[in-house]
Amino acid sequence: MKNSLAKHKICLVVGDPIDHSLSPQMHSSGFKALGIDDRFVFLAAKVSIERVAYLVTSIKTLGILGVSCTIPHKTAVIDYLDEIDPVAKKIGAVNTLVNKEGQVKGFNTDWLGIVKPLEQLIEIKNKKVALIGAGGAARAVSYAINIKKGKLMIFNRSLEKALALAKEFNGQAFSLDQIAKVEEADVIINATSLGMKPEQNKTPVPKECLHKGQIVFDIIYNPMETRLLREAKSKGAKIIYGLEMLLEQGVAQFQLYTGYSAPVEVMRQTLIKCLEGNT
Ligand code: NAP
């Protein structure tokens, strides 16, 4: 039999909840486009945080090739890895596990999901970048902006979290009361959950602070076009959809899992189709 399923290398996305994940569709469409779907398969598994200690052992036992980690495993799994990439260590989170001959190494590709789409439009160096949020995703954003020598301004509801992040990644911290200062920024990145379904009528930035000449990147991808992005577009700003972060972090994972360059456009169209089907 030509395409024996027994020979497939297995990749997974793990998290809790996991039903919403688009990683299986995104990666599977990439496998198919490259004609390697007879060698690789991508599935999802719900793994509760209480079970995280068994995750790496299970990967080794079952011979799983690669694992994409989402909430709540990105930090918790670190303690159980054989090795961690220095970038992931600095960010303090892994979103990608690769099993190489029984040794499981953790990587972080989320920061590339910020850098790649931004660099299509602008050189980050010396640009004022206003980051809203100081949670898990904001750590990858902060790393990305700092490593590319942008001027980082972090705004967060809990000021102490913004202060801690700013200290670590060479930024300035502000509370949300000072949000009007984002008007000075060349780039605004929303890394809060404000505006995500089912609260898509919310936005972290007043429309008056948005203007032409700015780039506004909302990392929320559900809905695909958030209120923030709609309002930014109406003021003449350039916008970047959260889908682009999801895509680029996945593109880097694809290469780590398979060794092949990912078919980016095919994977983008798959995400768009899935998200449009969600609206
Ligand atoms: P998280 O660690 O829980 O952080 C949530 C952030 O949102 C914190 O800064 C929190 O402020 C802020 N926040 C929540 N509710 C708020 C409210 N009502 N008013 C003001 N601020 C509020 O979550 P995360 O993992 O960083 O994820 C954040 C968002 O990014 C989610 O929407 C997620 O879907 C999205 N995301 C997208 C991608 C992608 O690939 N596109 C990847 C990762 C995450 P406090 O610190 O004050 O609580």
Side-chain angles (χ1 to χ4, degrees):
M1 198 168 94
K2 190 173 163 242
N3 294 341
S4 167
L5 279 169
K7 289 185 182 163
H8 278 62
K9 294 207 164 89
I10 300 168
C11 298
L12 291 176
V13 56
V14 301
D16 184 12
I18 201 61
D19 288 356
H20 67 287
S21 177
L22 302 178
S23 293
Q25 290 99 313
M26 175 173 63
H27 286 282
S28 300
S29 70
F31 296 160
K32 196 162 176 220
L34 294 190
I36 55 172
D37 53 332
D38 58 349
R39 288 160 53 198
F40 298 95
V41 64
F42 201 109
L43 303 166
K46 182 172 164 181
V47 177
S48 70
I49 191 67
E50 294 77 28
R51 297 269 168 180
V52 68
Y54 307 113
L55 184 56
V56 172
T57 316
S58 305
I59 292 169
K60 293 180 186 183
T61 306
L62 299 173
I64 289 165
L65 170 67
V67 172
S68 304
C69 293
T70 184
I71 288 174
H73 300 305
K74 287 185 179 187
T75 50
V77 74
I78 289 176
D79 288 345
Y80 305 97
L81 298 173
D82 296 310
E83 202 183 336
I84 183 165
D85 177 73
V87 172
K89 193 170 182 187
K90 174 71 184 158
I91 295 172
V94 296
N95 72 329
T96 311
L97 310 181
V98 179
N99 178 5
K100 201 168 175 202
E101 289 155 15
Q103 294 291 292
V104 176
K105 182 171 177 180
F107 298 85
N108 188 304
T109 66
D110 282 334
W111 73 283
L112 290 166
I114 298 298
V115 165
K116 290 272 178 78
L118 269 178
E119 285 187 338
Q120 304 269 327
L121 298 178
I122 200 172
E123 190 191 355
I124 299 168
K125 191 174 177 185
N126 291 330
K127 299 294 183 308
K128 274 192 181 176
V129 181
L131 163 64
I132 332 248
R139 288 191 65 81
V141 179
S142 299
Y143 174 84
I145 302 306
N146 184 40
I147 203 79
K148 292 288 175 179
K149 299 190 166 45
K151 295 176 182 168
L152 183 62
M153 304 155 79
I154 305 174
F155 297 80
N156 197 47
R157 176 175 61 180
S158 321
L159 179 60
E160 66 282 4
K161 282 207 224 162
L163 283 164
L165 200 57
K167 193 170 170 198
E168 217 176 319
F169 292 101
N170 196 26
Q172 283 179 288
F174 303 92
S175 74
L176 285 187
D177 295 341
Q178 296 165 287
I179 195 73
K181 278 184 85 64
V182 302
E183 202 171 346
E184 300 167 17
D186 302 296
V187 177
I188 298 174
I189 304 176
N190 176 36
T192 72
S193 44
L194 268 180
M196 193 168 76
K197 268 188 180 175
E199 297 192 297
Q200 62 264 50
N201 58 332
K202 295 194 173 162
T203 176
V205 182
K207 194 175 173 182
E208 310 79 78
C209 304
L210 304 169
H211 56 82
K212 196 168 180 225
Q214 284 179 323
I215 296 171
V216 180
F217 189 170
D218 195 338
I219 74 163
I220 291 175
Y221 57 81
N222 198 8
M224 206 162 90
E225 189 160 287
T226 59
R227 178 175 162 191
L228 172 63
L229 292 182
R230 251 192 342 269
E231 293 185 346
K233 205 157 73 170
S234 77
K235 296 296 279 296
K238 289 187 180 157
I239 63 167
I240 303 175
Y241 294 104
L243 168 117
E244 293 297 322
M245 178 180 181
L246 185 61
L247 174 68
E248 290 296 352
Q249 62 82 34
V251 161
Q253 288 180 329
F254 190 99
Q255 170 110 32
L256 283 167
Y257 296 151
T258 66
Y260 291 97
S261 292
V264 183
E265 197 45 42
V266 168
M267 288 162 71
R268 177 183 283 113
Q269 292 309 321
T270 300
L271 289 177
I272 292 172
K273 216 184 280 175
C274 292
L275 288 168
E276 283 178 346
N278 263 346
T279 51

